[in-house]
Amino acid sequence: MKTKSIKFIALLLSMVLLASVFAPFAVAAPAQEGLFEPDVPIDAGAYMLIALDDAHTLIAQKNKDKVKYPASLTKIATTMVTLENVQNLQEQVSVSQSAIDAIAGRDAQAAGLKAGQSVSYEQLLYLTMVYSACDACQVLAESVGKTEQHFAEMMNEWAASVGCQNTHFTNPDGLHDDNHYTTAADMALMALAAINNDTFLKLCTPTQYTFGETTFKHTNFMLDSEQPLYYYAYAKGIKTGSTQQAGYCVITMGEKDNMKYLAVVMDSPLKYIDGNECKGSFLDAKSLLEWGFAFKTATIASSSQEVKTIAVTDAKDADSVALVPKEDVQFSVPQNFNEADVTIVPADEPDTLYAPVKQGDVVCKVDIIYNGQKLATTELVAASDVKLSVLSKIHRLNKAFITNHPIWFTLIILVVLAVVFLIVQAVRRKKAKKRLAEKRRRRAMQQRMRDRNDNESF
């Protein structure tokens, strides 16, 4: 074997052994949800308070997935199906006798429409959303869906399209039917979809609407300053509902100090204040909104907060590194929020890191937990640099290779021994050739000396 070939093999073995030393450091990558328990009494059978932020953060809930009767909250779907199927809201339609008869004798709220009367879609929609007029709903169902049954099918299709999974409508007005049901969570989905529609917002937020010679007040008494028990200055829209089976229901928005909420309240009972009967839905919604508006912004995780330390393998001057949140995490929390109750729980945490580690390298995700509920998710990063010890890594890789690949290690040892043997043999042959050449040179020199002496003797 030639010297150049021997050097090439030795270099190749060294490259294989060191190839992984400078492998790059791989890092991980975030979510958010909030849920608190109100410290104010809420008597509703089901409710939700949702922050109107980009994530529609759930702030509080009770029985959000429990099936309830929606009563006239149904009319949110009635209005949205109409808006999506009627291009000209100024178009006139005729009130049919069948629409009037559909609600006759059912103790339904009505605007007093008359058979043969001509009204626009827009007027019908204002009567539906502001005054909750069931006769207006029936006219819309006949005009848009041709029949009440087909219109109900359209409502169910629309509800499914916005994500509802536990909703079934049988009519456009919400008058009781055992097969006409939904949940607070589904009603929230419908309301959130609806308030993204500017026309819907225009229809559901007026405090009153004048039709003919009659001015109808919004059925949400939280909007009525003449109802001091219910009035709430920060409430806006949307829809109410009540039947004996559904209890008292309301969906309303609230806005104060740059905070915006959607409150969904279903199946509230009658309440008694100073001996007077009161509709519990408005009181519950008011309590929820007031509780939410009292929230404060708190730092629930600080970038300077050492969450834990983690071992670092192949490190030069350290054997661990501190982990801190990547950035400050802030969250709106109740006034009784106790920071001591916050825990930061790593997820997908590795057993060790491998040097080199750079300050700011993402190590794992963490969930920020408060009273057993996840408020947010963020990332933990290395708080400082940790340098690489190349010798330490080579030693570890060699040890791991020997442990995990004993046969291959034996073969490599044999190859190395063979290479060493060949090198030794080559060196020996080279030295032998050199000695032989020297011996021949000396013999030749001695022969020349003898020849010269012989010549001189003559």
Side-chain angles (χ1 to χ4, degrees):
M1 181 181 292
K2 294 185 177 180
T3 304
K4 288 185 177 179
S5 298
I6 295 169
K7 289 182 177 179
F8 175 76
I9 292 173
L11 178 62
L12 184 61
L13 287 171
S14 299
M15 290 175 64
V16 170
L17 200 57
L18 296 171
S20 62
V21 170
F22 300 102
F25 176 67
V27 295
Q32 183 180 343
E33 182 181 355
L35 185 60
F36 300 100
E37 185 74 24
D39 58 0
V40 294
I42 310 293
D43 297 322
Y47 65 77
M48 296 177 72
L49 184 67
I50 301 168
L52 292 178
D53 52 20
D54 292 339
H56 292 155
T57 304
L58 177 63
I59 303 300
Q61 69 86 20
K62 172 185 173 184
N63 294 333
K64 66 184 179 68
D65 295 314
K66 187 173 183 178
V67 170
K68 296 286 182 182
Y69 297 120
S72 288
L73 299 184
T74 299
K75 291 164 185 169
I76 293 174
T78 301
T79 297
M80 287 303 299
V81 169
T82 301
L83 291 178
E84 292 188 1
N85 287 276
V86 175
Q87 295 189 0
N88 180 13
L89 296 185
Q90 305 308 317
E91 180 183 345
Q92 299 286 309
V93 296
S94 179
V95 177
S96 69
Q97 184 61 50
S98 58
I100 305 302
D101 293 341
I103 63 169
R106 303 192 63 187
D107 194 28
Q109 180 141 304
L113 298 177
K114 305 298 183 184
Q117 186 177 4
S118 182
V119 290
S120 70
Y121 280 110
E122 183 180 71
Q123 289 173 317
L124 291 169
L125 289 171
Y126 271 119
L127 291 173
T128 295
M129 289 305 300
V130 175
Y131 188 60
S132 200
C134 295
D135 49 357
C137 292
Q138 288 294 331
V139 177
L140 289 172
E142 285 189 1
S143 300
V144 176
K146 305 309 177 187
T147 67
E148 180 180 7
Q149 180 179 356
H150 184 246
F151 189 80
E153 292 172 0
M154 296 170 69
M155 293 168 66
N156 289 323
E157 290 173 2
W158 177 81
S161 74
V162 300
C164 298
Q165 298 182 351
N166 298 294
T167 293
H168 184 260
F169 294 127
T170 61
N171 61 62
D173 45 43
L175 293 176
H176 183 70
D177 184 317
D178 287 346
N179 290 318
H180 188 97
Y181 55 81
T182 187
T183 64
D186 279 4
M187 284 309 317
L189 288 172
M190 287 183 258
L192 289 170
I195 62 177
N196 277 327
N197 184 300
D198 291 339
T199 303
F200 179 88
L201 279 178
K202 185 179 75 171
L203 294 167
C204 76
T205 52
T207 58
Q208 59 185 32
Y209 177 68
T210 299
F211 177 71
E213 297 181 354
T214 305
T215 297
F216 297 98
K217 286 189 174 184
H218 201 298
T219 54
N220 183 357
F221 292 168
M222 299 172 72
L223 313 181
D224 189 353
S225 58
E226 296 181 359
Q227 298 274 359
L229 182 62
Y230 304 125
Y231 179 65
Y232 191 58
Y234 306 107
K236 184 179 180 182
I238 296 175
K239 192 70 197 74
T240 64
S242 65
T243 63
Q244 181 179 355
Q245 297 84 352
Y248 292 96
C249 310
V250 64
I251 297 179
T252 189
M253 294 178 292
E255 181 175 355
K256 179 183 179 184
D257 298 334
N258 296 319
M259 303 176 77
K260 297 181 180 180
Y261 292 111
L262 179 76
V264 178
V265 172
M266 301 185 72
D267 191 18
S268 283
L270 275 175
K271 296 186 179 184
Y272 294 87
I273 299 178
D274 297 331
N276 298 315
E277 288 186 347
C278 303
K279 297 180 178 181
S281 54
F282 303 131
L283 300 178
D284 286 338
K286 184 176 180 180
S287 294
L288 271 176
L289 290 173
E290 285 182 331
W291 173 71
F293 288 136
F295 274 27
K296 61 183 180 180
T297 300
T299 298
I300 58 175
S302 170
S303 59
S304 62
Q305 172 186 1
E306 180 179 318
V307 175
K308 67 174 303 174
T309 59
I310 189 170
V312 181
T313 301
D314 304 329
K316 186 174 184 180
D317 298 317
D319 58 5
S320 64
V321 67
L323 302 184
V324 298
K326 184 177 182 179
E327 56 192 1
D328 288 350
V329 179
Q330 295 187 321
F331 203 84
S332 292
V333 296
Q335 289 295 326
N336 62 351
F337 175 78
N338 185 355
E339 294 182 8
D341 292 332
V342 172
T343 56
I344 299 179
V345 181
D348 303 322
E349 177 190 0
D351 294 329
T352 185
L353 300 181
Y354 293 91
V357 177
K358 292 189 177 298
Q359 182 179 9
D361 278 346
V362 177
V363 176
C364 62
K365 293 185 289 187
V366 290
D367 293 330
I368 302 172
I369 308 296
Y370 177 76
N371 283 345
Q373 300 292 342
K374 183 170 72 172
L375 300 185
T377 298
T378 188
E379 296 171 325
L380 284 187
V381 300
S384 59
D385 293 343
V386 180
K387 294 181 179 179
L388 168 69
S389 170
V390 176
L391 292 178
S392 174
K393 186 159 190 176
I394 292 174
H395 175 73
R396 178 179 60 81
L397 292 175
N398 285 340
K399 185 176 180 181
F401 187 81
I402 293 170
T403 302
N404 298 321
H405 305 89
I407 295 176
W408 278 104
F409 177 73
T410 303
L411 291 175
I412 289 175
I413 292 298
L414 292 175
V415 170
V416 171
L417 290 174
V419 170
V420 170
F421 174 77
L422 291 173
I423 293 174
V424 170
Q425 289 296 99
V427 170
R428 285 178 177 176
R429 283 195 297 270
K430 187 174 181 180
K431 287 182 178 180
K433 287 180 179 180
K434 188 175 181 180
R435 286 195 300 270
L436 181 59
E438 181 64 23
K439 188 174 182 180
R440 288 174 177 173
R441 187 185 65 78
R442 285 198 301 269
R443 286 177 179 176
M445 184 178 293
Q446 291 172 354
Q447 185 62 44
R448 285 195 297 273
M449 291 293 291
R450 284 195 295 270
D451 291 345
R452 187 167 60 192
N453 291 335
D454 290 343
N455 291 334
E456 289 179 355
S457 64
F458 287 105

